[in-house]
Amino acid sequence: MVGPLRAVDVIRKKRDGGKLTPEEIAFFVQGAVSGTGWMPYQVSALLMAIYFRGMDLEETACLTQAMAASGQRWDWSDLPGPVVDKHSTGGVGDKTSLILAPLAAACGVYVPMMSGRGLGHTGGTLDKLEAIPGFRVEWEPEQIRSILRDVGLIMMGPTAAMAPADRILYALRDVTATVESIPLITASILSKKIAEGIAALVLDVKCGRGAFMKHRPDAEALALSLQQVGTAAGLRLVTLLTAMDAPLGCCIGNALEVKEAIETLQGRGPEDVTALSVRLAAHMVLLGGLADSLAQAEARVRQALQSGQGLERFRRCVMQQGGDPRVLDRPELLPQAPHVEAWRAPRAGYVAALHADRLGQASMLLGAGRARLEDTVDPAVGIVCRVRPGQKVSPGECLLEVHYRQDQSLKAALPLLEQAVILEDGPPAALPNEPLVLHTWGAGTA
Ligand code: URA
């Protein structure tokens, strides 16, 4: 292209299937943030062209770096240990961040965990943490530095100065039906993590009914893209593909999930939540260079769990971030819904499936999640699954506990609940979410 770059030429090039140069991608990202040379409708047009034509690895890596460079980048080189984070693409009942961050910190990893809010049927770590009375997720840079140094972890929301290009592009993607694009998702996730200044990252890509990616080939393509682009950006990276057909654990809803996370840190959590939290934390420990093998890293994390060191880290985190630490010993201090309704088995049978998507949607209708970004959430409401897949049930047995505030929201959720628990006459041949870890890419998988 001769002469100054023009948005229309970049859009045309991608529309016709061309490969964008690093200069064109930088021009696009800078223009999207500053408005120079790019109107929002032109930014949207290029997003749609990328949605249809895709981007190769090199273009995606360039886009990721340009988005990361659009704002502040943290530098943690003054910390005396490895700085590692974890990111999940989002699931139903996934409270592992609340468990693995203190466990990894107890093993010597520094975890500056920047999380998001729930949207649609999937929950968000920030909403869960804010169910703890007083817990704050927004901090000034100097406070972030001080909490991380002192506690070994901080759980926070994205700061305005970090990767502003992602905020602008995501808002446009949300209203132009261009969210579901692997290069755009890859750049969105990784640009924020690169700006976080971490040395290593563990990614948990969810796959199944309750996940963003419902089908394994799509989830694998996203996992590979994240793994390759992250590695090209200089991150040490492990990517796990994990099952999300049934909810993780028993509780769905913010305060209910905090309670289950605390129980897990007390060593009495559900098996799947414990196993996945330990596995992800172990990868963080291994990537941080604090163990020689995954088995050794897992042993260290289990020791932190069994000794209560993980729980104590979480207590310090809650205290430093303004939360009421008494909730760790007295969960009744967490917000509680005024009503609890039992959803009972209409007949005898075996639980063949617990549909994560329907339970997530039902929980959202109860008020635990948000349909649009600007909605507020009710920390107290949600669902507790009283049965697990494979379990035999009798007629009238409680399958689900519904914690609700308004009759209206219960009424809206009921049709989904009716379809969420699938009963069969005999024991199911295969159980959802088994195996939980479907595949692992990256170093330290031995
Ligand atoms: N999560 C993100 O952070 N970005 C996306 O584009 C999709 C999921």
Side-chain angles (χ1 to χ4, degrees):
M1 225 177 286
V2 182
L5 290 173
R6 296 189 318 158
V8 64
D9 298 321
V10 178
I11 296 165
R12 184 181 298 110
K13 186 175 181 185
K14 184 46 78 181
R15 182 201 69 186
D16 294 345
K19 174 170 173 163
L20 301 184
T21 64
E23 293 73 31
E24 287 163 342
I25 292 172
F27 170 57
F28 163 60
V29 172
Q30 284 157 16
V33 175
S34 66
T36 313
W38 288 80
M39 299 303 286
Y41 51 79
Q42 291 174 304
V43 175
S44 301
L46 185 59
L47 291 171
M48 188 58 88
I50 294 170
Y51 176 90
F52 279 116
R53 291 296 193 169
M55 280 183 142
D56 71 9
L57 181 61
E58 216 177 320
E59 289 174 292
T60 310
C62 263
L63 178 64
T64 306
Q65 291 290 7
M67 286 168 64
S70 68
Q72 179 196 34
R73 187 168 173 164
W74 288 92
D75 175 5
W76 306 112
S77 52
D78 58 321
L79 289 175
V83 182
V84 187
D85 195 6
K86 167 258 177 187
H87 178 85
S88 155
T89 57
V92 177
D94 183 1
K95 66 280 294 172
T96 55
S97 288
L98 275 60
I99 303 156
L100 63 87
L103 285 175
C107 294
V109 176
Y110 286 87
V111 190
M113 185 170 276
M114 210 178 58
S115 304
R117 299 198 175 274
L119 187 59
H121 69 281
T122 61
T125 299
L126 298 183
D127 297 324
K128 292 171 201 184
L129 290 166
E130 283 178 347
I132 301 172
F135 198 103
R136 277 179 55 200
V137 297
E138 279 169 23
W139 297 92
E140 295 300 322
E142 276 323 301
Q143 295 171 314
I144 293 171
R145 204 166 271 288
S146 147
I147 295 172
L148 182 60
R149 174 177 280 282
D150 192 36
V151 189
L153 76 143
I154 177 161
M155 298 204 245
M156 57 182 168
T159 64
M162 282 178 72
D166 179 57
R167 232 180 0 268
I168 290 161
L169 293 180
Y170 194 89
L172 288 173
R173 287 167 60 205
D174 198 27
V175 293
T176 55
T178 51
V179 168
E180 299 89 348
S181 148
I182 286 181
L184 295 178
I185 298 170
T186 302
S188 167
I189 292 174
L190 290 177
S191 61
K192 288 174 284 196
K193 293 296 159 188
I194 292 167
E196 221 178 72
I198 51 178
L201 176 65
V202 176
L203 285 163
D204 180 6
V205 175
K206 301 278 181 205
C207 170
R209 286 181 159 277
F212 190 48
M213 293 292 180
K214 311 248 176 272
H215 305 294
R216 186 148 176 181
D218 298 332
E220 282 187 351
L222 176 60
L224 258 180
S225 170
L226 286 162
Q227 180 69 23
Q228 290 174 336
V229 173
T231 305
L235 284 174
R236 292 200 302 282
L237 211 74
V238 166
T239 304
L240 283 80
L241 188 72
T242 67
M244 182 35 75
D245 284 314
L248 201 57
C250 306
C251 296
I252 307 161
N254 300 300
L256 294 167
E257 291 192 46
V258 170
K259 181 167 174 276
E260 193 167 64
I262 293 169
E263 285 165 3
T264 305
L265 283 167
Q266 289 167 337
R268 49 194 188 92
E271 215 174 292
D272 57 345
V273 176
T274 306
L276 187 58
S277 305
V278 167
R279 174 64 60 87
L280 293 168
H283 278 296
M284 292 170 76
V285 169
L286 186 57
L287 281 180
L290 299 171
D292 295 328
S293 66
L294 186 60
Q296 196 186 71
E298 278 218 21
R300 287 199 63 180
V301 173
R302 284 212 178 266
Q303 211 273 332
L305 179 65
Q306 281 151 14
S307 63
Q309 287 170 295
L311 183 68
E312 286 320 301
R313 281 294 167 139
F314 188 59
R315 192 186 303 276
R316 276 171 60 194
C317 165
V318 170
M319 275 163 61
Q320 288 269 2
Q321 295 198 226
D324 184 349
R326 293 177 305 162
V327 300
L328 273 76
D329 309 304
R330 294 173 54 197
E332 69 276 11
L333 294 176
L334 288 166
Q336 296 199 49
H339 313 289
V340 180
E341 170 93 0
W343 172 255
R344 297 184 184 282
R347 64 183 182 89
Y350 289 81
V351 179
L354 281 176
H355 284 186
D357 49 347
R358 292 173 186 160
L359 290 167
Q361 278 156 13
S363 174
M364 187 188 82
L365 292 176
L366 292 172
R370 50 173 78 69
R372 293 168 311 161
L373 269 174
E374 55 273 25
D375 294 345
T376 53
V377 299
D378 183 338
V381 299
I383 298 165
V384 180
C385 303
R386 286 291 171 206
V387 287
R388 299 303 300 157
Q391 197 173 317
K392 190 175 179 191
V393 298
S394 319
E397 187 173 334
C398 176
L399 304 178
L400 304 170
E401 243 176 40
V402 190
H403 295 237
Y404 70 101
R405 194 173 295 280
Q406 287 157 342
D407 291 345
Q408 226 177 348
S409 60
L410 176 68
K411 214 168 142 195
L414 278 179
L416 282 162
L417 297 176
E418 276 169 28
Q419 298 165 6
V421 187
I422 308 299
L423 296 181
E424 283 179 0
D425 292 336
L431 292 178
N433 286 12
E434 282 193 15
L436 191 52
V437 178
L438 299 164
H439 196 78
T440 307
W441 291 265
T445 55

